[in-house]
Amino acid sequence: MALRVRKLARELERSPEDVLLLLKDLGYERYRTPEDLLTDDVVARARKAARTTPPRARVAATARSAPPAPRSKPPIEADLMAQLVPGAVRTGARPVARTAPPLPAPPRGRGPVLAEERADEARGALAAERERLERARAELAAERAALADERDRLLAERDALRLERDTLERAVAERDRTVRERSVLGLLEARGLSGTDEAERAVAALAQHKELGRLLGGLTPIDPEGFRRLLADRLLLVAGPPPEGVGAAVQVAEDRADIATGPELHRRIARIGQGLLLEGCRRVLVAGLSPRLHGLLREHLDPRVELAFRPGGVRDEAGIRADLERGDLIVTWN
């Protein structure tokens, strides 16, 4: 609860001036009169400092009032004469004044004191609330300043990222333009051809007249992995004349061929069909076989064998179980 300076001085048995000096030592310059209100934290610090700081302004000692002089009693004779003869006084003696005793002062009520204490408490609470609001206002201002700094930092980072993105986009565009100009397609277009169709026919014509062989060693694909997949999926190596409907095919030695051709291919597929029927495998799942060979296999395999196809690749446990439910036998191509 907030206290006035004078009340704290009475509690510490010091003068208000000494308490004001003590508060000044603690850094509280705004307290200047004994009627100033002190907040709870200031009172606590003053009480703690008073234990180690000796008083500098002593409490003024209250002057003791001299005891009233004893009233002189009238002589016995005067009293006796006054009792016998009313109004008679002794010769040479002063008449004794007969006065009524003074009335006692009415006791001071607690009402004004309680009202003053409540007013002090209210003023102290108001001062404490004002100080709390000031601290909250200062904290809010500090947070606002920190948020403003963070916003400025994020905006600067955004601008830097945008600049970096624009720089990278320009670099990628320049690289793509350079790559296209140096690619086979770009060189064919510079020669006067238009589009991939004319470019493919030009390459086929050069290959047919064996004009590309001396350049193949110096040609490097921009996407080696994509070119490797193209060769694996779209180019078939056969050990004889290419069968119809298989697309791009090149005849090579039998030990390097993907499949045999002609009557030998028909005989091999027929033997496979007979073996499947003998083993009771009427549902066969083939994984990884090029789609160009699906029709060739269906054409020459016994029609009583039901064929299913799926792409190649490693299968997890769930995929393996699904494959087993689809067929009596699973064949992985290559």
Side-chain angles (χ1 to χ4, degrees), residues 5-256:
V5 174
R6 57 181 174 78
K7 287 193 175 184
L8 180 61
R10 286 201 301 270
E11 177 188 329
L12 300 177
E13 297 182 353
R14 295 171 179 247
S15 66
E17 292 76 10
D18 182 71
V19 174
L20 290 173
L21 290 175
L22 187 62
L23 294 173
K24 186 176 181 181
D25 293 342
L26 294 175
Y28 299 106
E29 300 283 349
R30 64 178 181 273
Y31 301 112
R32 300 180 181 276
T33 68
E35 298 303 321
D36 290 344
L37 283 173
L38 307 176
T39 58
D40 293 344
D41 55 343
V42 175
V43 171
R45 292 192 62 187
R47 286 172 177 165
K48 183 177 180 181
R51 301 191 192 104
T52 57
T53 305
R56 287 165 286 185
R58 300 288 182 181
V59 180
T62 306
R64 284 188 167 182
S65 59
R71 297 178 59 183
S72 58
K73 295 183 179 180
I76 299 177
E77 295 84 353
D79 293 342
L80 181 59
M81 186 60 71
Q83 294 176 8
L84 294 176
V85 182
V89 294
R90 186 180 178 180
T91 303
R94 296 180 179 179
V96 179
R98 307 286 293 183
T99 59
L103 294 175
R108 187 179 179 185
R110 285 288 293 167
V113 178
L114 289 175
E116 182 180 358
E117 291 180 354
R118 289 174 180 173
D120 289 345
E121 292 178 3
R123 284 189 288 269
L126 182 60
E129 181 65 15
R130 186 180 294 110
E131 187 170 350
R132 186 188 68 80
L133 290 176
E134 288 296 333
R135 288 197 301 267
R137 186 179 292 109
E139 293 175 358
L140 182 61
E143 291 180 0
R144 186 179 291 113
L147 289 175
D149 293 341
E150 181 67 11
R151 180 198 61 191
D152 294 341
R153 186 188 67 80
L154 291 175
L155 289 176
E157 185 177 351
R158 182 200 63 184
D159 294 340
L161 289 175
R162 285 179 176 176
L163 179 60
E164 182 179 359
R165 181 198 62 191
D166 295 341
T167 303
L168 289 176
E169 287 179 352
R170 287 193 297 269
V172 169
E174 179 64 21
R175 184 203 62 184
D176 292 344
R177 184 184 64 80
T178 303
V179 169
R180 181 175 180 82
E181 289 178 353
R182 295 180 179 180
S183 67
V184 175
L185 181 60
L187 295 174
L188 290 173
E189 289 178 348
R191 176 64 180 84
L193 300 173
S194 177
T196 57
D197 184 64
E198 291 184 2
E200 288 178 347
R201 281 187 283 155
V203 171
L206 291 172
Q208 183 179 2
H209 291 81
K210 302 185 181 301
E211 298 291 344
L212 290 179
R214 57 190 180 88
L215 298 177
L216 292 178
L219 296 179
T220 302
I222 299 174
D223 182 11
E225 184 60 30
F227 191 68
R228 186 179 295 109
R229 288 196 303 270
L230 174 66
L231 296 178
D233 298 339
R234 299 301 179 183
L235 182 63
L236 185 66
L237 306 183
V238 295
E244 295 181 1
V246 297
V250 177
Q251 183 174 351
V252 296
E254 185 176 357
D255 57 339
R256 291 184 285 113

Side-chain angles (χ1 to χ4, degrees), residues 299-322:
E299 180 182 356
H300 299 287
L301 192 65
D302 194 301
R304 291 174 291 178
V305 177
E306 179 184 347
L307 287 175
F309 302 93
R310 73 162 177 82
V314 179
R315 304 283 278 179
D316 55 12
E317 184 177 354
I320 294 175
R321 290 180 178 177

Side-chain angles (χ1 to χ4, degrees), residues 250-332:
V250 177
Q251 183 174 351
V252 296
E254 185 176 357
D255 57 339
R256 291 184 285 113
D258 297 326
I259 61 172
T261 58
E264 180 62 23
L265 175 62
H266 301 165
R267 286 194 296 270
R268 290 184 180 182
I269 295 178
R271 286 200 301 269
I272 292 174
Q274 293 173 2
L276 293 174
L277 292 175
L278 290 175
E279 295 291 336
C281 299
R282 292 183 176 272
R283 296 184 308 158
V284 178
L285 174 64
V286 181
L289 182 63
S290 173
R292 296 177 301 166
L293 301 179
H294 292 180
L296 185 65
L297 189 59
R298 291 182 187 276
E299 180 182 356
H300 299 287
L301 192 65
D302 194 301
R304 291 174 291 178
V305 177
E306 179 184 347
L307 287 175
F309 302 93
R310 73 162 177 82
V314 179
R315 304 283 278 179
D316 55 12
E317 184 177 354
I320 294 175
R321 290 180 178 177
D323 289 345
L324 292 175
E325 292 177 357
R326 294 176 59 187
D328 302 322
L329 176 67
I330 302 173
V331 179
T332 301

